[in-house]
Every structure is written in structure tokens, then in C-alpha cells.
Amino acid sequence: MAVRPTKRLFGRPFERRLIPIVVLLIGLLAVPMPSYARDPGNPAQPAPGGGSPVVDPHAGHRAAVAPTGEPPMPGPMAMSEPPGESYVKRDLVLPTTGWIATASDQAPTYPASNVLDGQPTTIWHSRYATPAAPLPHTITIDMRSALSIKGLTYLPRQDTSSNGNVGRYSVSVSSNGTAWGSPVATGTWGDTKMVKTAVFAAVNARYVRLTTLSEAGNRGPWSAAAEIKVIGGPAVAGALPRAGWTASASDQSAAYPASNVLDGNATTLWHSQYSPATPLPHTLTIDMKATKRIGGLTYLPRADASNNGNIGRYSISVSVDGSAWATPVANATWVDDKTAKTVAFAEVDARYVRLTATTEAGNRGPWSAAAEIEVHGSAPAAGVGGRWDAPIGFPAVPVSAVLLPNNKVLTFAAVGDMRFDKFGATTIVSILDLATGAVSPPANINTQHQMFCSGLAVLADGRVLINGGSTDGATTIYNPALNSWAEGPRMQIPRAYQSTTLLSDGRVFTLGGSWYDAAGNKDGEVFTLSGSSGTWAKLTGVTATRILTADPGGVYRSDNHAWLFAISGGAVFHAGPSKQMNWITTSGAGTIVGAGNRADSADAMNGNAVMYDIGKILTFGGATAYEDAGTVTNVQATRRAYTLDITAGSGQPVVTTRVADMAYARAFGNGVVLPDGTVLALGGQQHPQAFTDTGAVSSPELWDPATGQFTTMAPEVEPRTYHSVALLLPDGRVFSGGGGLCGSCATNHPNGQIFTPPYLLNPDGSARVRPTITAAPATARPGTTITVTTGAPVPRFALVRTSAVTHTVNTDQRRIPLTPTSVSGTTYTLPIPADTGVTLPGDYLLFALDTQDTPSVARFIRIN
């Protein structure tokens, strides 16, 4: 008889998780419930020390401290769940000594100065005596001198009342306190006691202003804050790609070589020789292999429990030839902590960069150590590298995102705004209105389904099907027309981290997904819609064993996030991430047969596959294992990219071509097809470790199918790694957001940014004149023609399907180029492909493109 496997939670045997689970439950029971009193005339006096504790049920392993003088080998990280590593934190909270806070209005006993006193038990509160001061309210920090800043943190009042918690907000800066430009950040915060963060691109300013536009709980026209802190940091361009670089040191310990500072792994390190110790100073030299324009350096201290070797006083020098070193471009002293240290300096051309450690930050001994070194380049001009808008804050990390046909973006997370589990049955949801830029307050959706690690498919009628995940058998259907959520039928096979796709006949197919239970055998199923619900049925002939990667973590990781593309006749092409590809049919019991390997590609888990033209797919990035965790070590993402041509049809040979490599290796990133057929690769990291930002890639890359080459774009403000999302928007721009969802760790990114690609900009960065669509139908049938009118002549059009994304997977997006069959002035007849395996039923964005491939703002059109 077969032995029944041990039940696993979070990828580990249940017995190993029992104690932390009990601790979590006790902690949750201890959290005081907030008061919802509606007395605007007497906001409760803050209770000393009051405040809800932030419970992190997913604390990871920590390496033990080695004897003094020897650097301990970093211990194993948490296998698959949030480890809460503080060492990746990049925030520098500025001291507030001498600062002044003023407000648009304040209650006599709750002055603005309280936000700078370092006491969470005191508050600023807007005037509440009758009449209360109406919203908006502002609180302004005068830092007394111009500083380089990149964010602020807001701590709500910590007593039993929640009156005045800031909901919708904006952040502005000024050099003189009089001239205030456009906000550097906007967003919406949830109605909780947790500290909130607003990030923005680094800017020099003396004054910072937080404006309250709404009260988070709609209790009244009030605003309150316990503490406001400003985050400093220099303005630097994105980190340069490090492929081919080498690192050398004046001295090193055999087990901790200099090369470790370039591997993207924060748990490895360079350490100076310690037996016998080599006296200070120590040098670490990076050879970039070619002369580059550089303007900064980031030093990440060691990540384990020891601080031995943290660099204190330092200098940075550069050289063109590795022999002649000019006067240092930077020198100062770093504090003795785990945060990443970024230094900006005047841009200079150099091939070699040398970091010299003069002292050990804690005076513990004659040692130096570093986990990672990054060198920052020069940002491309907007006309070449695009431009990012001000960050938009969300009340929860947007782990999943869906473009809706009402010009809104639906985002959702898990049972919590910054955390998930496998026990809850609700989901935090928030919606971005693209017309106004406003983010809705969080809604707690209860369909007995925690919609985290789920599959996603946009149905033919515009509804969104969400299946599996943390509630691994559940299905939910969202109707954007009614903004309603409905509980759907349970799947026949519980699954999480699976992939789901709409089929050409309107049914839905799902496959894989052993994250929840590590059970394997997550064979195919199909969902048949019936009215407002439907049914799931097994496809016994579509076995998940065909899609497995060779992940050392086993089936728990090897059947995750399949790259699925619906094709003709209800069939599916499976492009990866396993190096073996497959053809799948879904009639009867279904079948799955091999389609060959993806050329010389290895397994590419957490990479991307994007259909950029009819039957043509670009794949890029990924790694041979899901992540470096537990016993799985030395995992690196790839820079490789391939095109797949499946236009010959199901069962026919797949034409696979390796194209140019990306500049950056990427895992946990996203891919977005643009209306001109180019593909934008966003985010990811060199060394895949969930819930870390080490080795994060801030600069997107734009792939051109005409050349097969990638071009580096302007860097994003926030890292976008594990649990990040990206979507094409109706105006031809791209939304990028999320990352984290790891409890109280330092890598939660509850925000997003919108990227303007170069095709919308002139060389000088100004906006291009765009074509316009003045008339187009709202619906069409496959195989028919539509009539479209534009404001001026255009040569081409494109359909791009609205889509849904989570965990790097977006099976909905596809681009269909359209060529007019007749033209009369600026009126065009466009043929809609009859094959629903090409024009998958559902909502599309119809773009007109001019001779420079500048797209119009799209019209929504439902093809069904």
C-alpha cells in the first residue's frame, strides 16, 4: 500500500508549522479591536503605548552568530513563505531635530508639532470643535534645509479611536514653502493602525506636505497623525546590468570570495581575510569590462546575524585602466546596520570602481564584508527610455491586477493588506480609476475564497474568473458591470499557483498548481459557464506530469505558473516554463502531447511568455528553480530570450529561435505586449528569493521584434520582484506595481507607477501628437468587418486583449494586428479574424497607429 504523504502547509510538514500557527492565533486574539466612535467633538486621548501589534506569522530562519572574528556562514532562508528579512530595507529615516510642523488647522490640544516628537501616543488632529474644518487638510514639514528625499511614513493615531485616519492622500514638496508643483505621490491608505509609506522619485526639497483628501473610515471631516517621518536618499539612476563583470579584493577569506558581491544573493558575502586577519584598509574592486557612465554605488552589508565587517568610513574611487586612480569621487561614514547604503556622485566615465573600507563600523575588529555591490549608471533621456509618473499608493499590495472594460484596474491581495495565510476566506480588494487617478478604499470581499496564488481568466462577457489559491478549491466570479462578487463552484482538484486560460469556445481550462499541498497530480480541468455560475470537470487525459520542471524543490514547485495559450478548436499550447512544450486538447478526456523542447532553453520558472503577434510568442527570463530557498541553492535567473512560432497549428513543429539576451537577468518579473508589437519586460531580480529585493532590476527593457534586440528603459522608483504585476492600459501606457505581501518585512510595496513608453514621446521628452479614433463600434463578431474612423490618416491598427495578471502569469494578453481592407479618407474597414483561437472572445483595446507607431488612446470593443 502506498504511504500517504505528510500533510504540508507552507511547503513544510504540518508538525513543523504547528507551533508558529498557534503563536499566530494567540497573537491575533490579542490584537485590540479599533473603536468606530463617531464623536467628532472629542477624539479619544491616545492611550500610552497603545497600538495594534503587527503579527508576522511567517518569520524566517536566522543564521546563528559565529565566534567573534569569524564570519558565520549564512543559514538557510525560509523555504517558501515570507522570511521578513530586514537586511534588504533601503529606507533612510532622516533625523527630525530642529524641524517644524505646521498644519492647515489643528485642535488646540493636538498640535501639528506632535508628529515630530517621536511619541506615538501624541497626535496632531484637525480642528473638530464646531464647526469642524472641512477636508482637505494639510500638514507641512519644514526640514530647515534642502535635503534629498524619496518618501515619507505616516503613523496613524495609536489609541482606541480611529477618527482621522488618512484615506486618500497626496504628497507634495517645495524648496521655498510657497511654490508647490504637482504631487510627487498620490494614493489611498487603509483604515488600520499600521505605519503607511508613500514613496516617490528622489528630489531635493526643504518642505514636505501631506494632504488628506478623505478620512479612511468616512467617519467625519477629520485628519490625524501620530508620527510623520521623511525618508532620505540620493537621486541615482538604475543599477547597471552586471553580466560579465568581475570583482577582486585586496584580500579575502577562501569561503567568502569577492565574486559573491555580484551574484544577486544577499545571503552570500565577501569577507576580508580573518585568519590571520589582514589589517585595514581593505579594497573591493569592480571591473565592469567596459567604460561606462556612472553616478552612484550601493553597498549592501552582510545579511546574516553577525555584523562583523560592516563598513564604516569608506571612499569610492574610479579608474579607466585599473592603474591610475583619481581623487575619490565619494568618501564618508556608513552607520552600523543592515540597510543598503547608496552613494551618489558626479557622473564620470570609468571601467573600474573601487570601494575602500577604512574602518569597521562597530569597531569589532580589522574586518570588512559586503553582500552585494551595485553600480548606478546614467538614466536614458525620456524620449529614448520613457518616463514614469508619480507613484500611486494602494491600501494593499496589488498582487493581482485586471484591466476592466470600464477603464479601471481591479487589484487584490489576500486576507490581509500586507500578508496572506492558508486559513482565511476573504480578500482585500481595491480599484484604480484610470480617469481620475483615484484609488478606492479597501473592500473586504467574502466569497469564502482568499484569492491569493490563484488562476485568472477574463471571460468572454467581461467577467473575471478567479480559481484556487490560498482557498485551494474555490472559484469566484467578478462582474465589473455590477461591481459584484459571486461564489462559484469548487474545482474537482484543489490547486494553487496553477495557470488558467479562457478557451476559444468560451470554456476555461486550468492546469497544475501544487503550492498549497505539494500533492502533485494537478491534472487538467475545464469550467463550463452556465448562467451566473457553471461546473468544473476533470480532463483525465491531460496529466500534469507533462509540464513539470526539474525543480529541486519537487512537485511543490515544479508544476507552477504554466505558460498557456488558447488556440483553435478549444486547444491550448503550453510554452513552458518547463523546457518541454506541449499541445493540449480539451474535448472528452483531453490529451497532452509533447511539442518539443524550447530550443536550448533550460527550465525557466517565473519567467515570461507573451503573444506579441498572431501565433508568435516571446519568452524571456526565469530560472531552473522557483527560488533559492531551503535546500535549493545557487539559483540564478537567465538573461535569455526566445521566440516561438506556432502558426503551423496544433501538433505541428514549433519554430523556436533564440534572440538577443536581455541586459538583466530576470525572475519574478512581468511582460507586457504593446500595441506596436514590442514587448516590455519589467521588474524581476537576478537571484530569485521570494520576499527580497536584492538584485532587483529597476530598469525595464523594450524588445523589438524587427531587430530581436532589447533596449534599456528609464528605472522605476520601487523594486518589482515577487508578487508584482504589470498591465497595458487603454492609453498605451503600462501600469507596474506590487511586490511583497510578507507581513512586517521590509519589502512590501503597496503602490504602483504608470510608465509612458518612448513611442508616446518626442526625442526631447515632450508628448507626441497622437492619432485619434473618432468612431468605432462597441461590439463585433469574429469573421465580420468593422468600420473605424480616425482624426487623420493612419496605416495600421491593432487589437490587444484586456488581461489579468498575477505571479508573472498573464494568459489573457495577446496582440492581433489589423490591416484595413478598404479606405475612404479617414474611414477604414477592418477585418476581425474568424478563428476564435486567434481572436479569443472577450474585451479588446482597439488602437490606431501612425507612421511612427505612435498609438491612439484605445477604444474598448467586445468581440464575441
Side-chain angles (χ1 to χ4, degrees):
M1 177 184 291
V3 178
R4 184 178 181 182
T6 303
K7 176 69 174 178
R8 297 176 71 87
L9 294 175
F10 297 102
R12 305 177 196 167
F14 176 75
E15 292 81 1
R16 290 176 58 192
R17 297 296 300 180
L18 181 58
I19 292 175
I21 291 169
V22 172
V23 172
L24 166 63
L25 294 175
I26 293 173
L28 291 174
L29 290 173
V31 176
M33 297 299 290
S35 168
Y36 293 97
R38 292 180 174 269
D39 180 5
N42 185 22
Q45 178 66 30
S52 304
V54 178
V55 180
D56 181 6
H58 309 297
H61 298 296
R62 290 289 183 268
V65 180
T68 301
E70 295 189 5
M73 193 65 175
M77 302 306 296
M79 283 187 63
S80 59
E81 299 310 317
E85 303 96 340
S86 61
Y87 61 81
V88 294
K89 189 173 179 64
R90 293 174 178 264
D91 296 346
L92 173 63
V93 176
L94 298 176
T96 61
T97 304
W99 290 11
I100 298 172
T102 57
S104 56
D105 57 282
Q106 61 188 31
T109 54
Y110 304 100
S113 58
N114 283 347
V115 303
L116 299 178
D117 65 2
Q119 300 295 322
T121 56
T122 64
I123 63 170
W124 159 69
H125 198 288
S126 60
R127 189 182 76 238
Y128 58 84
T130 305
L135 289 159
H137 306 131
T138 65
I139 185 163
T140 303
I141 308 297
D142 179 359
M143 300 181 293
R144 309 298 289 171
S145 63
L147 299 172
S148 182
I149 58 175
K150 61 179 184 179
L152 65 77
T153 64
Y154 159 73
L155 181 68
R157 61 189 301 172
Q158 297 294 294
D159 59 350
T160 57
S161 174
S162 294
N163 294 343
N165 284 358
V166 176
R168 195 155 58 89
Y169 67 88
S170 68
V171 179
S172 301
V173 299
S174 173
S175 59
N176 57 16
T178 302
W180 300 85
S182 300
V184 293
T186 62
T188 300
W189 286 320
D191 192 23
T192 70
K193 300 289 187 184
M194 293 178 60
V195 64
K196 313 295 195 300
T197 303
V199 298
F200 44 85
V203 62
N204 286 317
R206 172 175 168 173
Y207 299 86
V208 185
R209 175 171 290 171
L210 174 63
T211 299
T212 304
L213 301 172
S214 72
E215 204 266 1
N218 293 316
R219 286 170 289 261
W222 310 307
S223 297
E227 290 290 304
I228 294 178
K229 300 182 183 298
V230 180
I231 301 168
V236 293
L240 293 170
R242 300 182 293 181
W245 291 13
T246 56
S248 58
S250 56
D251 57 286
Q252 61 187 29
S253 300
Y256 306 99
S259 59
N260 284 346
V261 303
L262 299 177
D263 66 1
N265 183 354
T267 64
T268 64
L269 67 145
W270 159 69
H271 198 287
S272 59
Q273 181 175 300
Y274 58 85
S275 184
T278 300
L280 288 157
H282 305 130
T283 64
L284 185 64
T285 303
I286 307 298
D287 180 359
M288 300 182 292
K289 299 303 182 182
T291 298
K292 302 177 184 294
R293 189 76 172 171
I294 61 174
L297 178 143
T298 294
Y299 159 69
L300 181 67
R302 61 189 301 173
D304 56 4
S306 174
N307 289 317
N308 293 343
N310 283 359
I311 295 175
R313 195 162 70 248
Y314 70 90
S315 66
I316 299 170
S317 302
V318 299
S319 172
V320 173
D321 58 9
S323 299
W325 298 86
T327 302
V329 294
N331 57 79
T333 300
W334 283 321
V335 297
D336 188 23
D337 63 21
K338 299 291 190 187
T339 61
K341 318 297 197 283
T342 298
V343 180
F345 46 80
E347 289 189 358
V348 62
D349 293 324
R351 170 175 168 174
Y352 299 87
V353 183
R354 175 171 289 171
L355 172 63
T356 299
T358 308
T359 66
E360 203 270 358
N363 295 314
R364 287 170 288 261
W367 310 304
S368 297
E372 288 290 303
I373 299 291
E374 293 177 333
V375 180
H376 297 269
S378 180
V384 176
R387 181 172 57 226
W388 290 95
D389 283 4
I392 303 167
F394 288 79
V397 174
V399 177
S400 300
V402 186
L403 176 63
L404 304 177
N406 55 9
N407 201 34
K408 296 180 179 181
V409 175
L410 168 71
T411 71
F412 50 97
V415 70
D417 52 0
M418 305 293 164
R419 67 177 182 87
F420 66 92
D421 61 28
K422 293 188 176 181
F423 315 106
T426 60
T427 304
I428 303 295
V429 169
S430 188
I431 295 176
L432 167 64
D433 187 329
L434 295 170
T436 65
V439 176
S440 73
N444 193 26
I445 303 303
N446 185 359
T447 57
Q448 297 301 302
H449 187 184
Q450 186 180 169
M451 296 174 281
F452 169 75
C453 299
S454 61
L456 291 172
V458 180
L459 302 178
D461 62 3
R463 288 182 292 172
V464 183
L465 182 141
I466 306 154
N467 64 308
S470 283
T471 311
D472 61 342
T475 299
T476 293
I477 298 176
Y478 172 69
N479 187 336
L482 302 175
N483 191 27
S484 63
W485 299 81
E487 185 174 345
R490 295 186 67 82
M491 290 181 289
Q492 299 292 315
I493 303 171
R495 58 182 87 231
Y497 273 20
Q498 79 280 17
S499 288
T500 301
T501 184
L502 185 74
L503 299 176
S504 63
D505 57 14
R507 294 177 300 151
V508 176
F509 171 76
T510 193
L511 179 65
S514 291
W515 170 75
Y516 187 95
D517 54 14
N521 301 312
K522 303 297 185 180
D523 300 340
E525 285 183 74
V526 288
F527 172 81
T528 302
L529 186 65
S530 177
S532 61
S533 188
T535 57
W536 287 99
K538 292 182 182 178
L539 295 174
T540 56
V542 184
T543 55
T545 54
R546 300 283 308 186
I547 70 167
L548 301 182
T549 68
D551 197 306
V555 73
Y556 168 66
R557 286 305 196 195
S558 62
D559 72 356
N560 299 174
H561 308 325
W563 303 342
L564 304 178
F565 294 89
I567 56 176
S568 304
V572 175
F573 175 66
H574 163 251
S578 61
K579 61 185 178 182
Q580 175 180 298
M581 304 176 294
N582 293 279
W583 298 106
I584 299 169
T585 65
T586 62
S587 59
T591 62
I592 180 168
V593 296
N597 286 353
R598 204 170 46 254
D600 62 349
S601 172
D603 292 338
M605 184 60 73
N606 292 313
N608 264 258
V610 178
M611 184 172 279
Y612 64 92
D613 204 337
I614 297 173
K616 296 180 180 180
I617 299 164
L618 174 72
T619 76
F620 59 88
T624 54
Y626 197 97
E627 64 169 326
D628 190 326
T631 59
V632 182
T633 58
N634 301 317
V635 181
Q636 292 291 334
T638 183
R639 298 188 298 126
R640 291 188 179 188
Y642 300 82
T643 57
L644 312 177
D645 188 334
I646 61 171
T647 54
S650 181
Q652 300 303 308
V654 177
V655 179
T656 305
T657 305
R658 183 175 172 183
V659 297
D661 289 352
M662 295 182 290
Y664 299 89
R666 300 174 190 265
F668 299 135
N670 288 278
V672 175
V673 64
L674 303 183
D676 64 348
T678 57
V679 177
L680 191 67
L682 301 101
Q685 61 188 147
Q686 171 187 338
H687 180 81
Q689 282 184 301
F691 306 110
T692 72
D693 286 336
T694 307
V697 183
S698 61
S699 299
E701 294 180 65
L702 186 64
W703 180 77
D704 186 346
T707 64
Q709 301 287 324
F710 288 88
T711 301
T712 302
M713 299 285 105
E716 192 171 0
V717 168
E718 285 275 83
R720 303 295 178 199
T721 54
Y722 190 49
H723 290 162
S724 62
V725 295
L727 286 172
L728 177 68
L729 301 180
D731 62 3
R733 298 188 299 165
V734 174
F735 173 80
S736 173
L741 200 76
C742 41
S744 59
C745 80
T747 54
N748 288 322
H749 302 296
N751 50 56
Q753 281 186 273
I754 294 177
F755 178 68
T756 300
Y759 63 19
L760 293 175
L761 301 170
N762 292 312
D764 64 359
S766 60
R768 284 190 192 176
V769 176
R770 304 178 62 166
T772 59
I773 297 176
T774 58
T779 62
R781 297 282 296 168
T784 63
T785 60
I786 60 173
T787 300
V788 177
T789 303
T790 60
V794 297
R796 62 187 64 89
F797 296 82
L799 291 169
V800 181
R801 197 170 190 273
T802 62
S803 60
V805 59
T806 188
H807 290 78
T808 76
V809 175
N810 186 340
T811 62
D812 285 296
Q813 71 171 335
R814 57 179 56 202
R815 171 183 168 271
I816 304 167
L818 299 178
T819 301
T821 56
S822 65
V823 180
S824 176
T826 57
T827 299
Y828 304 85
T829 302
L830 302 177
I832 305 298
D835 185 350
T836 56
V838 172
T839 315
L840 201 64
D843 291 315
Y844 284 81
L845 301 172
L846 173 64
F847 292 94
L849 296 101
D850 67 15
T851 55
Q852 293 183 289
D853 280 335
T854 304
S856 67
V857 173
R859 291 292 188 102
F860 284 93
I861 179 171
R862 179 164 296 170
I863 302 175
N864 192 5

